[in-house]
Amino acid sequence: MNALKLGLALCAALATLGSASAGLAQTAASSASSAVVRVDLSAGGASQSLALPRGKSAIVELPVDARDVLVTNPAVADAVLRTPRRIYVLGVTPGQTDAVFFDATGRRILSLDIRVDQDTAAIGQTINRVIPGSRVRVDAMNNSVILSGQVMNASDADKAVQIARAAVAKPEQVLNMLSIAGKDQVMLKVRIVEVQRNVIKQLGFDLSAVLGQVGETQFVLSRAATFGVNGSLLGGVTGGYKTDTTKQPVMQFPCVGPGWQPGKLCDVVTRDGTVASNWDTATVKDTAGDPGLNQAESTIKAFERVGLVRTLAEPNLTAVSGEAAKFLAGGEYPVPTGSDNTGRISVEFKPYGVGLGFTPVVLSGGRIALNVSTEVSELTTQGAFTLAAGSNSSLTIPALTVRRASTSVELPSGGSMMIAGLLQETTKQTLDSLPGMMNLPVLGSLFRSRDYLSGETELVVIVTPYIVKPTSPDRLQTPADGLKIADDVSTLLMGRLNKAYKVKPQATAGRSYQGPHGYVIE
């Protein structure tokens, strides 16, 4: 009786274990659409590969009954025998392993290479749902995710990458292999306006005097305007007064000779035996000066300048969405970078002028994201570097004055953005004078000099992006279209360089102009 109860309990346990295994296999098979691996034994054996998402299963159908199954790494994948000819393979964790199936005689039926990757079905469904019109395929390799397929624009591609990064541990585990269906082209119209205003005022007095007779003790007084800001008088008017007492009117003494009588003058011989040629007149001659003022000079220097410089550049650039474009209107200047053993100097050229660089990205809804950088630079001697190039020569490398702006904005097509407020104001002034004489009323201005320099600079940049498309070349016009050079008669008699200027009728179709228009060459 006890043996019978034990046998019944054992049968019930085996039935429960079989039911549990069957339930596990059914759950794994119904968890997702399972892959099916069928084996062909016509070649005497088979080796196949199987890629499984983590947590998903695959069905292996064998042509003969399998008795043993060997899984190298059960932590990566597990095999469950539903029937002798149908086996369920479950993906446990990402990794690689293999499973070998044997029949009752010990012959190898199938060698299955299994690779378990991250489940990407949810990522692909989310991307295709959030981004309408996209056809994105998500593949997994180890712990990385590969995005392939096609999206409408660069903004949709960026969104797909952000969604995929949320499902991985590290952002660099997402590989973007997406292609954009049609890349938009963006034309950037930029207007760069710079105004510089300079004011220079210079007023100075130079004084010099020598007191005392030549050959005796003399006193010297001198003062000169230095113009400490600009270094020297830049122009204007110089005027003054100069006196020199070393040249004075001199009259000879009357002579005394034989037969001389009081009141009677000798017009032949002087006292020292010379002829008295100007005994009755005074003539200016060089003398040793007088004990008073010997010579003096006073000069006033005055100059004023008002300058206005206007820089206007309107570069237009077109670039594909997501690509960078650059523009430079100016030049390049050489900068020595080194020399070799023979003394030859290597030179590198640096750009200057009006520069523009931008990278557009077309977003959804026709909006454009821009990274814009603009620069206005010019050569200057202020801050220049001078290098001795020999015993009697030197090399001067100029410096640059730079106004630079860089920003990131988002604009609609045809909308404008202004970069303003780039102001610079410089004021320099010096007053040179004799100590204690500057503050004297009226007379103090004779002992001081003024040098004044003021500079104001304002830079304004207006940026306007457009989404553009190619057009027919007949609708494009250049300044050389229809230009005719004037003949000799028109040039000599009328002073004309161009005879006529006609525009393309296709380029102006549908447009109405008021007043003179077109290109004029004078």
Side-chain angles (χ1 to χ4, degrees):
M1 187 67 179
N2 293 333
L4 178 60
K5 291 181 179 180
L6 181 60
L8 292 174
L10 182 59
C11 291
L14 292 175
T16 304
L17 180 61
S19 299
S21 300
L24 178 61
Q26 291 177 357
T27 302
S30 62
S31 61
S33 56
S34 301
V36 179
V37 179
R38 291 183 174 86
V39 181
D40 184 11
L41 296 182
S42 60
S47 296
Q48 296 189 22
S49 299
L50 176 64
L52 278 178
R54 182 180 59 182
K56 299 299 177 66
S57 63
I59 301 174
V60 179
E61 293 182 351
L62 300 176
V64 296
D65 294 343
R67 181 175 181 179
D68 296 325
V69 178
L70 174 62
V71 179
T72 305
N73 189 0
V76 175
D78 193 11
V80 178
L81 276 70
R82 171 61 177 168
T83 64
R85 296 192 178 187
R86 175 171 288 185
I87 297 94
Y88 296 147
V89 179
L90 308 178
V92 181
T93 58
Q96 291 183 346
T97 185
D98 62 346
V100 184
F101 302 88
F102 301 93
D103 60 7
T105 62
R107 187 184 63 172
R108 180 171 62 89
I109 303 173
L110 173 65
S111 179
L112 187 63
D113 293 332
I114 304 173
R115 188 184 81 244
V116 179
D117 298 319
Q118 182 179 356
D119 185 12
T120 59
I123 300 176
Q125 293 175 1
T126 303
I127 291 176
N128 291 311
R129 185 180 67 253
V130 173
I131 307 175
S134 62
R135 296 188 297 274
V136 179
R137 178 179 176 180
V138 183
D139 296 320
M141 179 172 288
N142 296 329
N143 294 325
S144 299
V145 175
I146 302 175
L147 302 181
S148 61
Q150 193 176 77
V151 293
M152 299 302 297
N153 50 53
S155 176
D156 291 346
D158 183 67
K159 292 178 181 178
V161 172
Q162 292 181 9
I163 294 173
R165 286 177 177 175
V168 296
K170 299 179 180 179
E172 57 268 18
Q173 292 177 347
V174 177
L175 305 179
N176 185 6
M177 307 295 290
L178 295 172
S179 61
I180 299 176
K183 293 186 177 180
D184 294 319
Q185 299 186 55
V186 178
M187 183 189 73
L188 188 66
K189 182 179 180 181
V190 179
R191 193 170 186 223
I192 303 173
V193 182
E194 183 186 24
V195 178
Q196 299 181 13
R197 182 176 181 268
N198 297 321
V199 177
I200 300 177
K201 295 180 181 180
Q202 292 180 313
L203 180 62
F205 291 90
D206 291 350
L207 300 175
S208 62
V210 179
L211 304 178
Q213 192 172 3
V214 177
E216 297 180 0
T217 302
Q218 290 184 320
F219 299 94
V220 179
L221 174 65
S222 178
R223 182 196 174 277
T226 59
F227 300 112
V229 175
N230 295 285
S232 62
L233 185 68
L234 301 181
V237 176
T238 301
Y241 175 78
K242 181 178 181 181
T243 180
D244 188 355
T245 60
T246 59
K247 297 180 179 291
Q248 300 185 23
V250 178
M251 184 169 58
Q252 295 286 355
F253 293 100
C255 65
V256 178
W260 174 81
Q261 296 178 2
K264 184 178 180 180
L265 298 177
C266 177
D267 58 351
V268 178
V269 181
T270 62
R271 290 179 178 178
D272 56 358
T274 61
V275 177
S277 60
N278 65 331
W279 59 270
D280 56 352
T281 60
T283 305
V284 177
K285 293 186 176 181
D286 293 334
T287 65
D290 58 8
L293 179 64
N294 201 342
Q295 59 181 2
E297 181 179 0
S298 176
T299 304
I300 182 174
K301 300 178 179 180
F303 171 71
E304 183 174 356
R305 173 189 292 171
V306 177
L308 184 64
V309 179
R310 177 192 178 205
T311 302
L312 175 63
E314 296 187 7
N316 294 336
L317 293 178
T318 302
V320 177
S321 176
E323 301 295 333
K326 294 182 180 181
F327 167 84
L328 175 64
E332 295 184 345
Y333 67 100
V335 176
T337 58
S339 60
D340 55 14
N341 296 330
T342 61
R344 291 181 298 182
I345 299 177
S346 57
V347 177
E348 181 179 352
F349 287 86
K350 301 291 185 179
Y352 71 94
V354 179
L356 169 67
F358 80 104
T359 302
V361 176
V362 179
L363 307 176
S364 59
R367 298 187 67 83
I368 304 171
L370 285 176
N371 290 328
V372 183
S373 60
T374 181
E375 177 180 305
V376 179
S377 58
E378 58 184 348
L379 299 177
T380 179
T381 57
Q382 185 177 3
F385 177 71
T386 301
L387 178 65
S391 58
N392 297 322
S393 61
S394 61
L395 177 63
T396 301
I397 303 173
L400 288 178
T401 57
V402 181
R403 277 79 67 197
R404 183 182 296 118
S406 179
T407 184
S408 298
V409 295
E410 183 177 328
L411 298 172
S413 178
S416 296
M417 179 267 301
M418 175 182 288
I419 303 174
L422 302 176
L423 303 176
Q424 180 181 3
E425 182 176 356
T426 302
T427 302
K428 298 180 180 180
Q429 183 173 203
T430 61
L431 289 176
D432 299 335
S433 68
L434 293 177
M437 304 295 290
M438 178 188 298
N439 298 324
L440 291 178
V442 183
L443 295 178
S445 59
L446 298 177
F447 296 94
R448 66 172 178 259
S449 299
R450 182 194 185 198
D451 195 5
Y452 174 81
L453 174 63
S454 175
E456 298 176 355
T457 300
E458 182 175 3
L459 178 65
V460 175
V461 181
I462 302 176
V463 178
T464 306
Y466 296 93
I467 298 179
V468 297
K469 296 181 179 179
T471 185
S472 173
D474 295 335
R475 300 188 62 84
L476 301 178
Q477 179 184 344
T478 66
D481 294 338
L483 178 63
K484 296 181 180 179
I485 304 301
D487 52 23
D488 294 340
V489 177
S490 300
T491 302
L492 295 176
L493 299 181
M494 306 299 296
R496 295 177 179 174
L497 296 178
N498 59 308
K499 184 177 181 181
Y501 198 92
K502 297 180 181 179
V503 298
K504 293 182 179 181
Q506 299 89 346
T508 59
R511 303 179 186 179
S512 60
Y513 297 94
Q514 296 180 358
H517 64 278
Y519 297 90
V520 177
I521 300 177
E522 297 181 352

